[in-house]
Amino acid sequence: MLQHNTAVGGGLQDHLGINYLYRATEPTLNGTLGSWRGRLAAGLRFVLQRAGPLSLSVNQMGGLVRSGPGLERPDTQLYFSPLSYSTDYVGRRPLLKPDPWPGFILGFNPCRPTSTGRIDIASPDPTQPPRIQPNYLGTAADVAGVLAGARLIGRLQQTPALRGLTLGPPAVDPAALTDDALLADFRARSGTVYHPCGSCRMAPEGQGGVVDASLRVHGVQGLRVVDASVFPNVTSANTQAPTVMLAWRAAGLIFAGR
Ligand SMILES: Cc1cc2nc3c(=O)[nH]c(=O)nc-3n(C[C@H](O)[C@H](O)[C@H](O)COP(=O)(O)OP(=O)(O)OC[C@H]3O[C@@H](n4cnc5c(N)ncnc54)[C@H](O)[C@@H]3O)c2cc1C
């Protein structure tokens, strides 16, 4: 059976984040994970004791915060990593390599982007990658969210606690750049936080929907979609737990025959 619905692949959303790298006054995990010897020792420690840096999340601290007064709810997710590394998103994701000096990362992503993109089949050949048009920063609200988040990082780095831990501002200084420069830097260096969803949105037919509230595909008998693609919009934080929650709910719906 064929069902034509241009909403399939539309509604794509994601979180787009950026890192600011700081030189630290204290040793960080760069000292442990920056060499093969250190990595080997950390690997052995993990295998033998299930402990050490490899037993930890790379983001040791984070938070959902309001980037400024007057906001009703948090609009920015913060990340803090006790090591610093650069990523290269051009075509592939190489191994992360800690910097050869003590350093750490402060990063953020806006929580509720309003831009939507598309993912479409690019060829009848299933081995060919799809065509992805994320359309990041496609709205003025999303641009404002980026500037607010970057300014917040700039204020955080100027707190006495963080000034005591850093050897000055980062190379790209969110406290010093103009809005245009901040945005240009964000466009150049930001990357996905790996939360793509929404390309089979749960919404009414004809209003951008692919599945109904019971996750049944509009216009097709006996077919449901149960994954992050049915989110009506990207969640305000990480997507894994909401996907598990969705799967739990879907199992109930399927068992109940609804
Ligand atoms: C690098 C990375 C880091 C992330 N970090 C976090 C994090 O820290 N916290 C968080 O909350 N979220 C994180 N996420 C996001 C989270 O993993 C996803 O939102 C979540 O896994 C989405 O679940 P899903 O079921 O929609 O898709 P997936 O988990 O991608 O599941 C799709 C499944 O379908 C299978 N599959 C694909 N094609 C076929 C086929 N043709 N036939 C059969 N099976 C097929 C795949 O093998 C896979 O098992 C991260 C994602 C990535 C990529």
Side-chain angles (χ1 to χ4, degrees):
M1 166 185 191
L2 283 178
Q3 174 71 16
H4 183 62
N5 186 346
T6 54
V8 175
L12 179 65
Q13 289 201 300
D14 193 8
H15 290 131
L16 193 61
I18 194 167
N19 289 332
Y20 296 93
L21 277 55
Y22 297 81
R23 286 181 178 248
T25 55
E26 301 281 334
T28 68
L29 283 183
N30 284 4
T32 311
L33 299 176
S35 67
W36 280 111
R37 180 188 294 227
R39 286 196 282 271
L40 202 59
L44 278 174
R45 194 167 169 213
F46 177 71
V47 169
L48 297 175
Q49 301 174 330
R50 288 285 186 267
L54 297 188
S55 67
L56 308 170
S57 160
V58 68
N59 291 308
Q60 283 288 289
M61 201 180 75
L64 291 158
V65 299
R66 294 176 176 80
S67 61
L71 292 169
E72 277 182 14
R73 60 183 181 182
D75 64 332
T76 303
Q77 182 162 1
L78 296 175
Y79 302 85
F80 173 84
S81 306
L83 73 164
S84 65
Y85 52 85
S86 305
T87 45
D88 177 2
Y89 288 93
V90 184
R92 68 194 185 99
R93 187 176 184 195
L95 283 175
L96 306 177
K97 194 169 183 339
D99 290 311
W101 29 263
F104 64 86
I105 284 176
L106 278 181
F108 81 94
N109 68 249
C111 290
R112 289 280 189 184
T114 53
S115 310
T116 54
R118 287 200 62 86
I119 177 167
D120 290 293
I121 293 169
S123 156
D125 176 357
T127 65
Q128 292 303 305
R131 185 172 48 243
I132 305 173
Q133 300 168 292
N135 197 25
Y136 293 123
L137 304 182
T139 65
D142 290 1
V143 169
V146 162
L147 293 175
R151 294 289 178 221
L152 173 66
I153 297 279
R155 293 199 299 281
L156 282 175
Q157 78 189 26
Q158 289 172 329
T159 58
L162 278 179
R163 281 170 73 151
L165 278 175
T166 49
L167 292 170
V172 178
D173 183 358
L177 295 181
T178 63
D179 283 359
D180 284 350
L182 267 182
L183 196 56
D185 174 61
F186 192 89
R187 287 189 190 281
R189 291 197 305 117
S190 62
T192 175
V193 184
Y194 304 108
H195 296 161
C197 59
S199 54
C200 283
R201 284 186 69 219
M202 184 196 305
E205 195 170 8
Q207 296 178 35
V210 176
V211 298
D212 65 16
S214 295
L215 308 176
R216 296 179 194 274
V217 176
H218 292 306
V220 181
Q221 289 287 318
L223 180 64
R224 300 188 208 234
V225 178
V226 182
D227 60 24
S229 70
V230 304
F231 291 1
N233 52 259
V234 68
T235 49
S236 51
N238 305 48
T239 43
Q240 190 264 346
T243 308
V244 172
M245 185 276 292
L246 173 93
W248 179 265
R249 173 87 177 119
L253 289 171
I254 292 166
F255 275 125
R258 299 222 307 273

